[in-house]
Amino acid sequence: MSGKPEFCDGTCKDYQRVYELTAPTPTVKYPRTPGYRDTQDDSWYYRCDIKGAEKGLLAGKTVAIKDNVTVAGVPMMNGSKLLEGFVPDRDATVVTRILDAGGRILGKSVCEDLCFSGNSCTSSTGPVKNPHDPTRSAGGSSSGSGSLVARKVVDVAIGGDQGGSIRIPASWCGIVGLKPTYGLVPYTGIMPIEKTIDHAGPMARTVEDCAALLEVIAGYDDGNDPRQFPAVPHPPYSKLVNDGIKGKKIGILTEGFVDVEEDLARVVRQRALTLKEAGAEVSDVSLPIHMDGLAIWTPVAFEGTYQMMIKGNGHGYNWKGSYDLPLQEALAGSYNLRPFDCPLPVKIVMIFSEYMQRNYQNKFYGKAQNLVQHLTREYNRILKDYDVIVMPTLPAKVVKLPSKGHSVYETLKLELDMIRNTAPFNATGHPALSVNAGFSEGLPALPCGMMIVGRMFDDLTLLQVARAVEKTFEDK
Ligand SMILES: NC(=O)c1ccccc1
């Protein structure tokens, strides 16, 4: 007998073998140069020029990629000092699909620090200004994507959404942004926050471009993304987006209008009513539990984020699929060496979640996930009678960018009050799209976003209704 713990011998050999084996990594298909850092435009982190295939649905279209999405060889910092200097070695699946469809990628768009903010003031590269009023927020966390699309610097962009991060900038920049059904678009190669609320999706100036980009990026990714299942339905959205909304039933969700700024509520409601002219039936519908949606989302988003994005170095355990090892390693290093570089909203998530876990273990997370099941069935129940429900995307028109040194309280309030209509659908996974419904009166005129929510995997109907909204402007 040596002093060696023999019961570990086999296990150590297994670990040694895993260390030696080569695991598959995604292949990078299109050549590129690293590009350059853009310090002129507040919405670009890095500029590049990657040309995809000659032909395809996105031929001739220019694309911005949110900087939480990997583009091999081009630096990515996800809005955070924590990741500065990181260069991914892979293309996210959505990036490969965009290039295969002929898209031309012009760079990485600025996003909020670790994507944990709905207001465009937390990125380490500085605030992103609203294209309609430079003293106001572009919305976040896909802030740069929203601004670049609205200013016509690019045709379309990729955004990410865990609580509203595609729909908030879409609403405040006056463009179209779709948070697709959970699992429709592969999240592979995008920095995770919380597996059950992570979404990626298209942002565009026109509904047709939004439909084309969705068509290109949607569909199963061969087991790489645990958010998906093999038979993800994805019809040819771009061919069907103009089929009209005759006979569709549209519900104006009463609870979605509670405590919404009066003029914003009016713009959204009136725009919804004009859809009658396109042949839709429009009526009011009530679902009281919508008022609890944000509360139900909160423990999932807080403790889930703490577990996966923070303690799990962006990945954690307990899922099959593709782990981005260089990203995992970069995060582990930064969290350990420079935890003070974490943005304020994420520090709050860490402190709060650690406290809850120590005192209540995973009780609140589990209960909230059970309530998500109930919430999902309740939305499904009214979506039997209505093809879509609509409401203002946000309770307030574009807010001012905060002045320096605003308090923790103000930060939290800004972040979380705002997302009471958007966040419930990150928890349930229903598709939710923001389209411009008009502008507020007075100067500056500010865009007012209407959110359209529909049945699981019926993203097509959302696009058709949004196209009908767009047409009510064209007809005038
Ligand atoms: N990533 C998000 O969607 C988000 C939005 C608002 C607040 C926190 C997170």
Side-chain angles (χ1 to χ4, degrees), residues 269-445:
R269 188 177 171 81
Q270 276 171 1
R271 188 62 55 187
L273 289 171
T274 61
L275 294 175
K276 286 180 183 173
E277 288 159 35
E281 285 176 42
V282 187
S283 57
D284 291 308
V285 60
S286 167
L287 187 68
I289 199 172
H290 179 72
M291 301 300 287
D292 289 318
L294 176 58
I296 293 168
W297 173 89
T298 299
V300 173
F302 272 56
E303 290 182 53
T305 298
Y306 187 46
Q307 208 63 29
M308 189 160 204
M309 187 176 82
I310 313 291
K311 286 213 245 180
N313 302 317
H315 296 76
Y317 293 87
N318 311 105
W319 54 274
K320 285 176 193 284
S322 179
Y323 287 64
D324 187 335
L325 299 184
L327 177 59
Q328 209 175 279
E329 201 169 316
L331 284 169
S334 302
Y335 288 147
N336 280 302
L337 291 170
R338 306 194 311 278
F340 42 83
D341 276 347
C342 277
L344 184 57
V346 169
K347 281 179 182 151
I348 292 168
V349 165
M350 287 159 78
I351 292 165
F352 211 97
S353 301
E354 181 62 32
Y355 178 86
M356 294 312 285
Q357 286 187 8
R358 283 192 198 178
N359 290 286
Y360 302 93
Q361 299 79 45
N362 50 357
K363 191 184 229 159
F364 278 92
Y365 185 88
K367 183 161 183 186
Q369 287 288 12
N370 288 348
L371 286 163
V372 168
Q373 293 303 303
H374 177 55
L375 184 66
T376 306
R377 289 174 192 134
E378 282 292 284
Y379 287 123
N380 286 344
R381 185 169 60 76
I382 56 167
L383 287 167
K384 281 202 182 91
D385 293 332
Y386 293 87
D387 292 282
V388 296
I389 52 174
V390 300
M391 66 203 87
T393 307
L394 296 160
K397 296 188 302 295
V398 193
V399 300
K400 288 269 187 190
L401 281 165
S403 43
K404 274 218 155 34
H406 57 291
S407 70
V408 175
Y409 173 76
E410 283 166 319
T411 302
L412 249 192
K413 206 167 148 55
L414 270 180
E415 292 320 321
L416 299 175
D417 265 10
M418 229 161 63
I419 58 174
R420 61 184 128 100
N421 277 350
T422 54
F425 305 106
N426 292 86
T428 66
H430 290 91
L433 177 151
S434 183
V435 63
N436 185 252
F439 285 81
S440 65
E441 282 166 24
L443 288 173

Side-chain angles (χ1 to χ4, degrees), residues 7-21:
F7 61 89
C8 280
D9 273 7
T11 308
C12 288
K13 283 201 186 97
D14 293 337
Y15 267 82
Q16 181 62 30
R17 187 65 188 137
V18 168
Y19 182 77
E20 288 159 6
L21 285 168

Side-chain angles (χ1 to χ4, degrees), residues 115-118 141 161-165 193 415 419:
C115 299
F116 221 89
S117 161
S141 63
D161 194 316
Q162 283 80 14
S165 284
I193 290 183
E415 292 320 321
I419 58 174

Side-chain angles (χ1 to χ4, degrees), residues 55-71:
K55 290 192 297 248
L57 212 49
L58 297 180
K61 299 278 183 199
T62 54
V63 189
I65 304 291
K66 182 179 182 178
D67 194 38
N68 70 335
V69 179
T70 55
V71 176

